[in-house]
């Protein structure tokens, strides 16, 4: 009583099977707050019991599961589980995550290597390897293109210094004529289809051939023909009546290659460029008609080569020519040609005259090339429609006529340009001031067997099957 506490003894009845815990009642009785909270605690206990009973009897709201319940948290039914829309979204997200994970872990299909392409070109008779080009990485020049047949595929340790051989890992791509059929960096493989290409190599080759044929046919003019029009590159002409003579060449007789002397003299190239700039200054559209400086050449013969056997025969023909041609060109003072004066074929082809320093030497050189082609098999045929001029010496004078005009082409009007400008002629006034120009001298120091197509090699000249150098 001195402490201010009111002591009340509570007598609690328990079942006989339960024993009161020692001190439990006394400890609770000693704390006044216990008695204040006694009644609410009992009420709370009763509320909890009622809530549990309600939850046990409540059902899961079917409208909530359909994502249509409008009562929200006040709904008397339970909101348990995942609504349909959320479930769909979760399933979609999970599926998308699984797809992304699969895409990241999925490996790309293995791509055929350059070695596989090389072997197929070597052994597949359906693929004309003389029309395939390799782009490889040169340590000094960057990516360089060369014809497939110019390479040696022997072991690098066994080849000579004068043989073109490269490590296969430097190969960047393969082309069929002008279009790529295998590219390492682009993962392009039409040769085998290992990267998923749906176009086969045979079908692709047909498409490329068709495209090139259409482009070539567009360059032919129905009203005017000379051998220059057969392709955009080779330049060889005959003297014909351009007003009345119209010629057509069937596909079976069309040239595939040509033999020429490559122009390498810097003075000649500089003067040719000067004349071309003058012509372009008169009509800018004629820029497309001017011969690029890397392509300048003097054509000696147009050739049609059939198949792989024909290619090998033509390359052998070139090798066999070298000893005899070297003897003819032994006297270097006579083994040169002068490029001078400007003329035209029907005002459509602007060219410079070729004047040999020594007529006999030049014509022996040219006639030996022609004779070798005449003696070749039907797989290597000369497609010239003319004979060489040859009346300088009785030893090589025969039935030849003076139809062939050795020349250096500077510009020629193609059919598309003629249509656009509504004229196929280049007026003489465009280059008249250079008509008597002396361009320079070119040594007879090389002979090239070139492929007729629109692609070029690293130095801007035509792709070649074989080349001879005379030192």
């Amino acid at each position: 009583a001195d402490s201010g506490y009111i002591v009340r003894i509570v007598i609690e009845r328990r079942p006989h099977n339960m024993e009161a815990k020692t001190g439990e009642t006394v400890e609770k009785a000693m704390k006044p707050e216990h008695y204040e909270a006694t009644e609410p605690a009992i009420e709370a206990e009763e509320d909890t019991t009622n809530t549990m009973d309600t939850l046990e009897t409540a059902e899961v709201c079917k409208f909530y599961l359909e994502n249509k319940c409008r009562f929200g948290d006040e709904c008397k039914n339970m909101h348990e589980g995942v609504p349909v829309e959320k479930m769909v979204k979760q399933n979609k997200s999970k599926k998308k995550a699984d797809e992304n994970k699969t895409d990241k872990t999925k490996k790309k299909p293995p791509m055929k290597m350059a070695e596989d392409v090389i072997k197929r070109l070597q052994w597949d008779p359906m693929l004309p390897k003389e029309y395939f080009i390799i782009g490889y990485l040169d340590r000094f020049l960057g990516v360089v293109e060369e014809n497939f047949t110019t390479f040696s595929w022997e072991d690098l340790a066994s080849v000579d210094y004068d043989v073109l051989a490269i490590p296969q890992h430097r190969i960047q791509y393969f082309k069929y004529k002008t279009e790529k059929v295998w590219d390492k960096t682009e993962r392009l493989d039409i040769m085998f289809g290992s990267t998923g290409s749906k176009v086969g190599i045979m079908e692709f080759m047909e498409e490329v051939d068709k495209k090139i044929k259409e482009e070539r046919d567009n360059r032919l003019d129905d009203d005017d023909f000379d051998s220059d029009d057969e392709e955009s590159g080779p330049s060889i002409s005959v003297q014909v009546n351009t007003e009345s003579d119209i010629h057509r060449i069937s596909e079976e007789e069309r040239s595939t290659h040509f033999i020429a002397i490559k122009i390498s003299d810097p003075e000649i190239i500089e003067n040719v460029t000067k004349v071309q700039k003058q012509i372009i200054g008169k009509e800018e559209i004629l820029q497309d008609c001017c011969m690029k400086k890397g392509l300048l050449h003097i054509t000696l013969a147009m050739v049609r080569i059939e198949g792989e056997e024909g290619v090998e025969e033509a390359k052998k023909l070139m090798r066999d020519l070298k000893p005899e041609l070297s003897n003819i060109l032994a006297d270097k003072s006579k083994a040169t040609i002068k490029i001078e004066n400007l003329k035209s074929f029907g005002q459509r082809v602007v060219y410079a005259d070729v004047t040999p320093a020594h007529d006999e030497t030049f014509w022996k050189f040219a006639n030996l090339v022609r004779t070798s082609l005449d003696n070749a098999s039907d797989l290597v045929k000369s497609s010239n429609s003319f004979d060489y001029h040859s009346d300088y010496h009785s030893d090589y004078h025969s039935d030849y006529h003076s139809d062939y005009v050795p020349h250096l082409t500077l510009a020629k009007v193609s059919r598309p340009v003629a249509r656009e400008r509504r004229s196929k002629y280049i007026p003489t006034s465009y280059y008249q001031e250079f008509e008597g120009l002396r361009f320079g001298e070119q040594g007879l120091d090389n002979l090239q067997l070139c492929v007729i197509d629109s692609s070029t090699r690293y130095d801007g000249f035509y792709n070649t099957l074989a080349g001879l150098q005379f030192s």
Side-chain angles (χ1 to χ4, degrees), residues 215-245:
E215 292 176 354
R216 181 174 58 200
D217 290 343
N218 288 335
R219 289 194 291 263
L220 296 175
D221 195 308
D222 293 338
D223 301 324
D224 186 12
F225 172 82
D226 59 42
S227 298
D228 266 349
D229 291 333
E230 186 171 345
E231 298 294 338
S232 62
S235 304
I236 194 162
S237 297
V238 294
Q239 294 175 341
V240 297
N241 184 342
T242 57
E243 299 301 325
S244 59
D245 290 350

Side-chain angles (χ1 to χ4, degrees), residues 130-131 177 212-213 216-217 219-220 225-237 248-259 299-307 373 379-386 449-454 465:
E130 68 271 16
Y131 292 120
K177 294 186 177 177
I212 292 176
K213 184 178 182 299
R216 181 174 58 200
D217 290 343
R219 289 194 291 263
L220 296 175
F225 172 82
D226 59 42
S227 298
D228 266 349
D229 291 333
E230 186 171 345
E231 298 294 338
S232 62
S235 304
I236 194 162
S237 297
R248 286 292 181 191
I249 297 179
S250 65
E251 186 63 31
E252 292 75 16
E253 297 176 349
R254 198 177 295 278
S255 301
T256 59
H257 299 74
F258 65 99
I259 299 177
T299 305
L300 298 180
M302 305 297 294
V303 187
R304 179 169 182 82
I305 300 176
E306 301 284 355
L373 290 172
L379 298 177
V380 182
K381 297 185 293 186
S382 172
S383 54
N384 295 346
S385 58
F386 59 89
L449 174 57
C450 306
V451 182
I452 295 178
D453 59 27
S454 58
L465 291 185

